[in-house]
Amino acid sequence: MSMEILDCTLRDGGYINNWRFGRETIAAILEKLDQAGIDIIECGFLTREGGDRDCSLFSSLEAVEAVLPRQRRARYVAMIALGEKELEPSALPDNDGRALQGIRLTFHKAEADKAFRWAKELMAKGYPVYLQPVGTVSYSDLELLHLVEKVNVLEPYAFYIVDTLGSMYRNQVTRRFHLLDENMAPGIRLGFHGHNNLQLAFSNAQVLGQIQTKRQLLLDSSVYGMGRGAGNLPTELIARYIDQNIASRYDVSLVMDVYDQHIADIRKKHQWGYSMAYHIAAVHVCHPNYASFLLEKRDLPVKDMEAVLQSIPENRRAVYDPDLIRRLYHQFQERQIDDSQTVEQLARVLRQRRLLLLGGGESLAEKRREIGDFIQKEQPFVVSVNFWDNAFPTDACFVSSRRCREAIRRQLAGAPGAPQAILTSNLPEEEGALFVDYASCLNGDAAVADAPGLMLLRLLKRCGASQVYLAGFDGVRAGTGCPLGFACGLEGEREDLRDRQRRIRKQLGRLGLQIIFLTPSAYEDEEE
């Protein structure tokens, strides 16, 4: 079989860094991949949200052409994704071939009719079209054959098997390949876009390359597998495989230069690649964003993540629904209990002493002496939130996360005078711990409902607290990382974290508590 590599680093890899590679980096990656001999290079998305010169999101062909190498051997393409603020065919001029030699059109099952209409318009303007049905595994054989009938009438440049969920094993890929190969018009190329949730993208690509057929195969890949969730087929792996087993066509050292010079620094800031969570998402044919949501919570062991994923209705697993996964996550966490005795016990303590909450921010170490002086002078009731620090005398640990609880238990093993554990009802039974109802600690904003600091403050409000001192609840401050304390352990784009921070600050204002910060915190600022 004749095989070609289509590198999609700047498009699929852009999900990792919000497509903000930088103008010079975009141009450098394109030039280096071209010099490496990569056959087809995807520049990014064609979208109405384009316009930022530092992002691989383009709103015109002129913007694409501006970043292309002067001397080029590869063919260049861009993607229009239906449902993602796509650029309509009417917004594009007739193709003169100077910028793009193809447009990839990706669509969900319900968008198929629209996709074929758009493909026809694009082809009429002279653009070779690559049709890519999202989540090909969700199509029955009969549904795929119906698509093939339309494909044969349209005769696009290429049609794809898209393993969106990274859930396809070798037999599933090859069966679909044979079904398409035997029924599709011979001049149409067949592509494979594999994700690596099951660590099978590379092996599936090799299997397809060994099938005896005259049809040309296109293999999507990205440098170092850069892509959302578990990532993609790595360009350097498939290029070296072809060089060593079929024909010497690529300069893999130049692909590795792309990694060294441009991707390695991104990798230090953002994670992608195989993980247990993405594995179980693929096993249950779930969109990887469901796994990403649960990973961000950082409080569920893998077996519990799997239980949540299994609770997603099968007909809603392939398309990500953030509201659905939030609801199912909270349903899983809730174990309603009568916590009136715990509330009364804490209320008796709070009537006698001031109250100090410790978050896990860097300011605890920065202001250790000041915090210690406050504790010595005021003798407050000290509660740490989802962590424990032996540098401070702590009366109690409030814990809402299973992972945090296990970490604290290991820290406290053999330590004298262990603090009282105050646990939310989603955690396993534990002798000597005080349990509070998980659901009663949540607030009305689903995005930050389970922020541990907010959960504790809501509990303390129920216990009659009117004034609370806080230390170590940093938020996103200059020179600091994640907003520890109220939403400890959060990871993600900095602007996403700032949005959660704004939401938390809004919830703080609704508590009706006098909150006094002993250490610098972005949560007390009106403006960031």
Side-chain angles (χ1 to χ4, degrees):
M1 179 186 294
S2 172
M3 287 187 289
E4 289 188 318
I5 294 175
L6 188 155
D7 184 278
C8 58
T9 305
L10 290 172
R11 198 270 310 168
D12 218 355
Y15 283 105
I16 295 296
N17 62 350
N18 205 28
W19 297 278
R20 187 166 292 279
F21 290 90
R23 174 64 170 256
E24 292 183 0
T25 296
I26 292 171
I29 289 175
L30 292 173
E31 183 172 21
K32 190 76 72 171
L33 291 174
D34 194 305
Q35 293 173 352
I38 302 302
D39 306 284
I40 308 169
I41 305 172
E42 191 172 39
C43 304
F45 275 112
L46 288 173
T47 169
R48 300 195 305 274
E49 290 192 341
D52 188 330
R53 67 193 309 273
D54 288 324
C55 294
S56 51
L57 304 173
F58 305 98
S59 57
S60 68
L61 292 192
E62 291 79 10
V64 174
E65 188 174 4
V67 297
L68 296 181
R70 291 184 179 180
Q71 302 295 324
R72 44 189 185 265
R73 295 176 294 177
R75 305 193 298 282
Y76 289 84
V77 299
M79 176 174 282
I80 295 175
L82 295 189
E84 295 190 29
K85 293 181 173 56
E86 64 273 25
L87 198 65
E88 298 187 8
S90 59
L92 294 172
D94 290 346
N95 184 30
D96 59 12
R98 291 190 304 175
L100 295 179
Q101 290 76 54
I103 290 179
R104 308 224 288 168
L105 188 60
T106 184
F107 59 94
H108 294 90
K109 190 181 294 188
E111 300 165 329
D113 290 342
K114 180 179 179 180
F116 277 89
R117 289 197 306 271
W118 280 30
K120 187 175 181 179
E121 291 182 51
L122 291 168
M123 291 172 63
K125 290 189 171 188
Y127 297 95
V129 170
Y130 302 58
L131 275 176
Q132 303 190 216
V134 172
T136 308
V137 71
S138 67
Y139 286 77
S140 67
D141 289 357
L142 186 58
E143 287 173 326
L144 269 181
L145 288 174
H146 283 324
L147 274 185
V148 168
E149 289 178 351
K150 295 181 178 180
V151 168
N152 287 341
V153 172
L154 185 67
E155 294 191 67
Y157 184 82
F159 185 76
Y160 263 75
I161 297 171
V162 185
D163 188 13
T164 306
L165 308 180
S167 62
M168 297 174 72
Y169 290 94
R170 178 174 64 179
N171 61 315
Q172 295 173 296
V173 174
T174 56
R175 186 169 64 79
R176 284 166 175 77
F177 183 93
H178 286 300
L179 183 70
L180 296 172
D181 186 36
E182 292 171 9
N183 291 279
M184 202 159 59
I188 302 170
R189 293 152 185 82
L190 188 51
F192 175 66
H193 183 92
H195 286 174
N196 220 16
N197 302 56
L198 297 176
Q199 294 279 55
L200 293 176
F202 185 34
S203 62
N204 282 339
Q206 293 178 62
V207 167
L208 290 178
Q210 294 167 2
I211 294 176
Q212 299 299 310
T213 177
K214 294 181 179 180
R215 192 180 302 278
Q216 188 172 39
L217 176 67
L218 307 179
L219 295 173
D220 285 10
S221 64
S222 61
V223 178
Y224 200 67
M226 185 179 180
R228 178 169 50 190
N232 304 314
L233 168 66
T235 299
E236 62 276 9
L237 291 186
I238 191 61
R240 193 179 297 277
Y241 170 80
I242 293 173
D243 278 351
Q244 294 183 350
N245 295 278
I246 299 173
S248 296
R249 292 159 45 191
Y250 306 108
D251 188 340
V252 179
S253 67
L254 294 178
V255 178
M256 293 190 292
D257 279 349
V258 173
Y259 172 78
D260 283 336
Q261 296 173 18
H262 308 294
I263 306 300
D265 285 342
I266 299 175
R267 177 64 173 172
K268 293 175 183 177
K269 301 176 184 177
H270 304 279
Q271 294 295 313
W272 67 86
Y274 174 79
S275 77
M276 198 65 72
Y278 294 125
H279 155 236
I280 59 176
V283 167
H284 297 291
V285 197
C286 292
H287 195 284
N289 280 3
Y290 286 123
S292 298
F293 174 89
L294 297 176
L295 282 173
E296 286 182 0
K297 293 301 179 184
R298 297 173 66 91
D299 64 347
L300 294 181
V302 174
K303 63 182 179 63
D304 289 343
M305 289 187 191
E306 183 164 28
V308 176
L309 293 175
Q310 285 177 305
S311 71
I312 301 173
E314 290 190 10
N315 64 345
R316 301 183 68 179
R317 294 182 180 184
V319 178
Y320 181 60
D321 184 339
D323 294 330
L324 173 63
I325 190 62
R326 284 194 189 102
R327 177 167 55 82
L328 294 176
Y329 168 76
H330 290 310
Q331 285 178 357
F332 180 83
Q333 294 283 55
E334 290 175 9
R335 177 171 62 87
Q336 289 189 337
I337 63 171
D338 179 3
D339 59 4
S340 57
Q341 290 186 353
T342 297
V343 170
E344 177 55 32
Q345 184 174 338
L346 291 173
R348 287 195 298 269
V349 173
L350 300 184
R351 284 194 288 266
Q352 303 170 16
R353 300 169 65 181
R354 294 186 184 274
L355 183 59
L356 171 62
L357 308 189
L358 301 179
E362 296 174 4
S363 63
L364 279 188
E366 297 168 359
K367 302 291 184 179
R368 179 164 296 177
R369 176 175 295 179
E370 291 90 333
I371 298 169
D373 290 344
F374 176 84
I375 293 174
Q376 184 175 11
K377 178 181 178 182
E378 302 292 342
Q379 295 296 305
F381 187 76
V382 181
V383 186
S384 61
V385 182
N386 269 1
F387 86 110
W388 177 68
D389 187 342
N390 62 5
F392 301 98
T394 306
D395 297 288
C397 286
F398 174 83
V399 186
S400 61
S401 160
R402 300 183 187 215
R403 289 185 176 179
C404 291
R405 184 55 187 155
E406 288 304 312
I408 293 170
R409 286 167 66 94
R410 288 193 295 270
Q411 284 181 287
L412 290 173
Q420 172 68 58
I422 304 174
L423 310 180
T424 49
S425 58
N426 57 304
L427 302 183
E429 293 286 351
E430 184 176 317
E431 186 177 355
L434 299 178
F435 277 88
V436 296
D437 184 56
Y438 177 87
S440 67
C441 294
L442 302 177
N443 63 74
D445 187 338
V448 294
D450 56 351
L454 282 179
M455 294 180 75
L456 176 55
L457 287 172
R458 285 178 62 84
L459 168 64
L460 296 174
K461 179 69 174 178
R462 291 175 59 206
C463 297
S466 59
Q467 183 187 73
V468 183
Y469 290 86
L470 301 181
F473 292 83
D474 297 356
V476 183
R477 296 187 296 122
T480 67
C482 297
L484 295 168
F486 284 113
C488 69
L490 285 177
E491 294 180 353
E493 295 296 328
R494 201 165 182 83
E495 186 51 42
D496 292 338
L497 298 180
R498 290 187 183 279
D499 177 64
R500 298 185 204 190
Q501 182 169 279
R502 285 188 286 267
R503 291 171 178 268
I504 289 171
R505 187 188 298 119
K506 188 175 182 179
Q507 293 298 319
L508 289 176
R510 294 177 174 178
L511 284 170
L513 290 170
Q514 181 186 8
I515 297 175
I516 303 169
F517 289 91
L518 297 183
T519 58
S521 172
Y523 293 111
E524 62 181 329
D525 298 334
E526 289 300 322
E527 298 293 337
E528 297 171 19

